[in-house]
mmCIF file of all heavy atoms in Angstrom:
data_model
loop_
_atom_site.group_PDB
_atom_site.id
_atom_site.type_symbol
_atom_site.label_atom_id
_atom_site.label_comp_id
_atom_site.label_asym_id
_atom_site.label_seq_id
_atom_site.Cartn_x
_atom_site.Cartn_y
_atom_site.Cartn_z
ATOM 1 N N PRO I 367 11.097 -2.893 26.523
ATOM 2 C CA PRO I 367 11.138 -3.863 27.706
ATOM 3 C C PRO I 367 11.006 -3.070 28.984
ATOM 4 O O PRO I 367 11.794 -2.091 29.227
ATOM 5 C CB PRO I 367 12.461 -4.527 27.527
ATOM 6 C CG PRO I 367 13.346 -3.531 26.794
ATOM 7 C CD PRO I 367 12.359 -2.784 25.930
ATOM 8 N N ILE I 368 10.222 -3.528 29.890
ATOM 9 C CA ILE I 368 10.069 -2.904 31.237
ATOM 10 C C ILE I 368 9.957 -4.096 32.262
ATOM 11 O O ILE I 368 9.700 -5.226 31.945
ATOM 12 C CB ILE I 368 8.913 -2.011 31.341
ATOM 13 C CG1 ILE I 368 7.538 -2.806 31.243
ATOM 14 C CG2 ILE I 368 8.839 -0.841 30.406
ATOM 15 C CD1 ILE I 368 6.359 -2.033 31.603
ATOM 16 N N ASN I 369 10.166 -3.690 33.528
ATOM 17 C CA ASN I 369 10.038 -4.680 34.627
ATOM 18 C C ASN I 369 8.921 -4.082 35.504
ATOM 19 O O ASN I 369 9.203 -3.179 36.294
ATOM 20 C CB ASN I 369 11.330 -4.829 35.424
ATOM 21 C CG ASN I 369 11.238 -5.906 36.459
ATOM 22 O OD1 ASN I 369 10.166 -6.305 36.863
ATOM 23 N ND2 ASN I 369 12.347 -6.298 37.016
ATOM 24 N N PRO I 370 7.708 -4.668 35.448
ATOM 25 C CA PRO I 370 6.626 -4.146 36.245
ATOM 26 C C PRO I 370 6.891 -4.164 37.728
ATOM 27 O O PRO I 370 6.321 -3.345 38.522
ATOM 28 C CB PRO I 370 5.466 -5.097 35.858
ATOM 29 C CG PRO I 370 5.819 -5.659 34.555
ATOM 30 C CD PRO I 370 7.315 -5.826 34.528
ATOM 31 N N ASN I 371 7.794 -5.093 38.149
ATOM 32 C CA ASN I 371 8.091 -5.086 39.612
ATOM 33 C C ASN I 371 8.835 -3.832 40.067
ATOM 34 O O ASN I 371 8.767 -3.503 41.228
ATOM 35 C CB ASN I 371 9.030 -6.322 39.884
ATOM 36 C CG ASN I 371 8.383 -7.640 39.714
ATOM 37 O OD1 ASN I 371 7.160 -7.764 39.854
ATOM 38 N ND2 ASN I 371 9.110 -8.675 39.179
ATOM 39 N N ASN I 372 9.474 -3.161 39.146
ATOM 40 C CA ASN I 372 10.119 -1.921 39.528
ATOM 41 C C ASN I 372 9.200 -0.693 39.420
ATOM 42 O O ASN I 372 9.475 0.363 39.933
ATOM 43 C CB ASN I 372 11.262 -1.595 38.570
ATOM 44 C CG ASN I 372 12.433 -2.553 38.641
ATOM 45 O OD1 ASN I 372 12.583 -3.097 39.763
ATOM 46 N ND2 ASN I 372 13.154 -2.816 37.579
ATOM 47 N N LEU I 373 8.039 -0.955 38.833
ATOM 48 C CA LEU I 373 7.088 0.098 38.638
ATOM 49 C C LEU I 373 5.841 0.176 39.447
ATOM 50 O O LEU I 373 5.229 1.189 39.762
ATOM 51 C CB LEU I 373 6.620 0.175 37.112
ATOM 52 C CG LEU I 373 7.669 0.432 36.141
ATOM 53 C CD1 LEU I 373 7.275 0.031 34.656
ATOM 54 C CD2 LEU I 373 8.189 1.920 36.146
ATOM 55 N N GLY I 374 5.424 -1.052 39.846
ATOM 56 C CA GLY I 374 4.200 -1.151 40.534
ATOM 57 C C GLY I 374 2.928 -1.002 39.601
ATOM 58 O O GLY I 374 3.134 -0.773 38.372
ATOM 59 N N ARG I 375 1.866 -1.153 40.104
ATOM 60 C CA ARG I 375 0.560 -1.172 39.335
ATOM 61 C C ARG I 375 0.299 0.218 38.662
ATOM 62 O O ARG I 375 0.175 0.171 37.425
ATOM 63 C CB ARG I 375 -0.593 -1.465 40.281
ATOM 64 C CG ARG I 375 -1.970 -1.349 39.635
ATOM 65 C CD ARG I 375 -3.030 -1.611 40.721
ATOM 66 N NE ARG I 375 -4.324 -1.404 40.179
ATOM 67 C CZ ARG I 375 -5.502 -1.471 40.941
ATOM 68 N NH1 ARG I 375 -5.383 -1.676 42.210
ATOM 69 N NH2 ARG I 375 -6.708 -1.308 40.354
ATOM 70 N N TRP I 376 0.494 1.330 39.268
ATOM 71 C CA TRP I 376 0.147 2.583 38.682
ATOM 72 C C TRP I 376 1.361 3.079 37.773
ATOM 73 O O TRP I 376 1.123 3.776 36.820
ATOM 74 C CB TRP I 376 -0.171 3.631 39.792
ATOM 75 C CG TRP I 376 -1.394 3.166 40.576
ATOM 76 C CD1 TRP I 376 -1.443 2.839 41.896
ATOM 77 C CD2 TRP I 376 -2.696 2.943 40.056
ATOM 78 N NE1 TRP I 376 -2.746 2.366 42.282
ATOM 79 C CE2 TRP I 376 -3.588 2.505 41.173
ATOM 80 C CE3 TRP I 376 -3.341 3.129 38.865
ATOM 81 C CZ2 TRP I 376 -4.911 2.170 41.021
ATOM 82 C CZ3 TRP I 376 -4.718 2.820 38.681
ATOM 83 C CH2 TRP I 376 -5.463 2.400 39.791
ATOM 84 N N GLY I 377 2.591 2.681 38.193
ATOM 85 C CA GLY I 377 3.635 3.036 37.350
ATOM 86 C C GLY I 377 3.525 2.337 36.043
ATOM 87 O O GLY I 377 3.808 2.967 34.926
ATOM 88 N N THR I 378 3.139 1.045 36.026
ATOM 89 C CA THR I 378 2.916 0.364 34.787
ATOM 90 C C THR I 378 1.874 0.963 33.943
ATOM 91 O O THR I 378 1.951 1.104 32.768
ATOM 92 C CB THR I 378 2.544 -1.103 35.085
ATOM 93 O OG1 THR I 378 3.576 -1.742 35.936
ATOM 94 C CG2 THR I 378 2.305 -1.967 33.823
#
Side-chain angles (χ1 to χ4, degrees):
I368 64 169
N369 185 346
N371 294 326
N372 293 330
L373 295 166
R375 176 182 174 186
W376 300 113
T378 301

